[in-house]
Amino acid sequence: RISSKKGIILIDADLPPDASVVIMTNDEFIYPTTDDTLIIEGAGEYEAKGIVVKGIAVAGVTTFEIDTEDSKLLFARSASLEKLSDKDEFDCVLIKVESMLDEGKLAAVTSGLVVLYGDEANIPDSLKEHRVSKVNLKKKEELPGNILFLEKK
C-alpha cells in the first residue's frame, strides 16, 4: 500500500476498494473494481487522479514507474533486476522477491532506498538486517538503512 496526497496505490493487494490505482502482477489476487479505481495489469502509460504509472516490459516481466508528484517510485520483480534501467532518480525502488535473490543483482539499482518484500526464504539474511513494517518516504532520515526488508503486518 502506497499512500500519497493524490490517492492510494496498491500492488498485488486483496484489500477493500479504497485505492485510486491497483497494480496486479499475477492472478492470485482478486480486487473488487469500482468506477473510481484504475486496475493495471501490464505495460502501458496510465493516469488516475494525478498519479502517473508507466508499465515497461523488461525481460518478460513488467516494471512500473510510479509518479505521485510527492514521490517517484520504481516497482520491479527480482527476475528483472539484471535488465533494470535505473537511470532515473527514484525516491524508492520496491522489489518483489519471487525467487532466491542474488545480492550482486542489486548493483543495478542506483537509487538511495531499496525496499524488498516477498518470501523471506528467498532473501539473504544480510539483506534482512533492517526490517520494517512500513516506510514513510517523507521521513527517510529515520529509516534504519538504505536496503530495507518490508515485513507483512
Side-chain angles (χ1 to χ4, degrees):
R1 178 182 180 116
I2 302 166
S3 298
S4 75
K5 291 178 187 174
K6 299 283 184 179
I8 295 171
I9 304 151
L10 300 176
I11 300 174
D12 289 338
D14 198 3
L15 298 171
D18 62 348
S20 301
V21 176
V22 176
I23 298 172
M24 307 298 286
T25 65
N26 60 43
D27 296 331
E28 73 183 65
F29 298 97
I30 299 170
Y31 191 84
T33 59
T34 68
D35 291 339
D36 296 330
T37 304
L38 173 63
I39 306 291
I40 299 173
E41 298 182 73
E45 293 190 28
Y46 308 89
E47 190 272 331
K49 298 182 181 173
I51 299 169
V52 178
V53 179
K54 184 176 178 183
I56 304 163
V58 175
V61 179
T62 304
T63 62
F64 296 93
E65 295 179 4
I66 305 164
D67 189 344
T68 67
E69 290 185 17
D70 301 337
S71 301
K72 191 169 181 184
L73 305 111
L74 177 67
F75 168 80
R77 293 159 76 175
S78 55
S80 65
L81 283 179
E82 290 176 331
K83 307 263 193 258
L84 194 61
S85 173
D86 190 20
K87 61 184 176 289
D88 293 328
E89 277 299 310
F90 294 98
D91 296 304
C92 177
V93 176
L94 181 64
I95 300 171
K96 180 178 183 180
V97 180
E98 299 172 306
S99 59
M100 186 55 77
L101 180 63
D102 176 359
E103 286 184 64
K105 291 182 181 179
L106 286 179
V109 180
T110 59
S111 291
L113 180 63
V114 176
V115 178
L116 306 170
Y117 78 98
D119 184 353
E120 191 169 345
N122 290 327
I123 301 172
D125 289 339
S126 60
L127 297 177
K128 293 185 280 190
E129 181 181 340
H130 302 294
R131 295 171 176 262
V132 295
S133 60
K134 71 182 202 177
V135 176
N136 184 342
L137 293 178
K138 289 184 174 70
K139 299 180 179 179
K140 284 168 93 171
E141 68 281 353
E142 295 177 13
L143 295 173
N146 291 18
I147 298 178
L148 306 175
F149 173 60
L150 186 62
E151 297 180 299
K152 285 189 175 184
K153 287 185 180 182

